[in-house]
């Protein structure tokens, strides 16, 4: 991969799981009813609820609220100098990559996703635990706010019909049935897609049967 540092293997994490500058964030629990973390997680990993990266802004759901993310990082002892490893269930990988994007907005320099997720970790019979680690609270000094990582609906609407001239490609990562307007998307009240967008379903980027890898 051109940016291979964005992924780590299970072998790599097994060798570095106890490193003092590693912080492992566990995204197994996506919905409030989920309880995967308490049943077993990689040693030293910290449960990360969806509320840390998704909230209500105005009347729109699932928006990134940066103050919630920063509060979570501070309360769990995650520093800008740490190497953050993101772990999730491989069939729900968008819940993990969203955290990568959110940290990128904050300018976090060192962050990687565990390729294959906890599914591959367990398939290889590596150690899991139910113990919950506790790290001292820190002040998270935002390295650099990358506002250009975020596009608002209002901004994008102003670019309609100009994608080619602006060098833009709008990628719709939903299921083809949603993209084609045959099925309603979650949290949406309209069928269809953004004009001029291209469909590339997220899971098409992955491969594997027992667990999904890039």
């Amino acid at each position: 991969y051109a940016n291979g540092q964005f992924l780590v293997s299970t072998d790599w994490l097994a060798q570095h799981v106890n490193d003092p500058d590693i912080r492992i964030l566990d995204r197994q629990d996506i919905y409030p009813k989920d309880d995967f973390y308490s049943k077993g997680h990689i040693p030293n990993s910290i449960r990360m609820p969806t509320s840390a990266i998704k909230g209500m802004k105005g009347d729109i759901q699932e928006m990134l609220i940066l103050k919630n993310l920063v509060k979570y990082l501070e309360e769990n002892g995650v520093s800008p100098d740490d190497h953050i490893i993101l772990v999730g269930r491989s069939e729900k990988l968008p819940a993990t990559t969203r955290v990568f994007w959110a940290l990128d907005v904050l300018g976090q320099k060192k962050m990687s996703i565990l390729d294959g997720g906890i599914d591959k970790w367990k398939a290889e019979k590596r150690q899991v635990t139910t113990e919950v680690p506790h790290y001292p609270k820190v002040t998270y000094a935002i390295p650099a706010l990358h506002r250009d990582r975020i596009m608002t609906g209002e901004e994008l609407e102003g670019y309609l019909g100009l994608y080619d001239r602006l060098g833009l490609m709008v990628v719709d990562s939903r299921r083809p049935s949603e993209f084609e307007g045959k099925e309603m998307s979650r949290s949406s009240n309209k069928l269809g897609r953004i004009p001029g967008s291209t469909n590339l379903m997220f899971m098409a980027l992955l491969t594997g049967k027992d667990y999904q890898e890039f």
Side-chain angles (χ1 to χ4, degrees):
Y1 295 101
N3 294 301
Q5 74 274 14
F6 292 163
L7 294 175
V8 295
S9 66
T10 50
D11 284 338
W12 184 94
L13 185 56
Q15 296 172 26
H16 296 274
V17 71
N18 294 311
D19 288 5
D21 61 342
I22 292 289
R23 290 291 183 270
I24 306 169
L25 304 186
D26 185 293
R27 282 290 291 129
Q28 290 188 80
D29 295 342
I30 300 171
Y31 305 108
K33 62 180 176 58
D34 286 344
D35 197 26
F36 296 101
Y37 176 84
S38 69
K39 296 174 183 176
H41 49 266
I42 296 171
N44 297 326
S45 58
I46 309 163
R47 180 179 182 269
M48 187 178 201
T50 297
S51 59
I53 53 162
K54 287 184 179 181
M56 182 75 76
K57 186 180 291 184
D59 60 349
I60 304 176
Q61 301 180 32
E62 301 192 353
M63 299 291 283
L64 174 62
I65 313 295
L66 285 177
K67 66 178 181 180
N68 293 350
L69 175 58
V70 171
K71 180 182 178 183
Y72 168 84
L73 296 172
E74 292 183 332
E75 290 181 345
N76 289 279
V78 182
S79 159
D81 297 324
D82 290 329
H83 184 179
I84 298 176
I85 308 299
L86 304 169
V87 178
R89 291 179 283 142
S90 63
E91 76 274 16
K92 296 290 185 181
L93 195 59
T96 307
T97 55
R98 180 182 174 87
V99 182
F100 187 99
W101 164 74
L103 292 170
D104 194 32
V105 172
L106 289 179
Q108 178 75 25
K109 291 184 174 60
K110 292 180 287 186
M111 51 190 176
S112 306
I113 292 170
L114 178 64
D115 201 11
I118 196 162
D119 306 272
K120 183 177 182 181
W121 183 274
K122 289 181 176 179
E124 295 171 342
K125 303 189 184 307
R126 299 184 187 272
Q127 182 184 2
V128 295
T129 183
T130 57
E131 293 183 11
V132 178
H134 297 283
Y135 297 101
K137 292 184 179 181
V138 299
T139 297
Y140 187 90
I142 297 173
L145 183 61
H146 290 159
R147 177 61 184 78
D148 60 338
R149 303 294 196 266
I150 300 175
M151 174 76 75
T152 68
E154 290 79 5
E155 288 172 324
L156 186 56
E157 187 175 25
Y159 299 149
L160 290 177
L162 301 174
Y163 296 165
D164 289 344
R165 280 173 278 178
L166 293 172
L168 293 178
M169 174 173 281
V170 179
V171 178
D172 187 323
S173 65
R174 296 174 302 154
R175 294 188 291 270
S177 58
E178 295 172 326
F179 176 79
E180 294 166 3
K182 298 177 181 177
E183 180 182 355
M184 192 75 78
S185 296
R186 187 166 49 91
S187 302
S188 177
N189 59 6
K190 283 187 178 182
L191 287 169
R193 59 186 179 272
I194 295 173
S197 58
T198 299
N199 189 214
L200 176 59
M201 186 180 174
F202 189 98
M203 302 307 283
L205 303 174
L206 309 176
T207 185
K209 294 182 179 180
D210 296 330
Y211 46 81
Q212 298 282 298
E213 294 180 282
F214 280 100

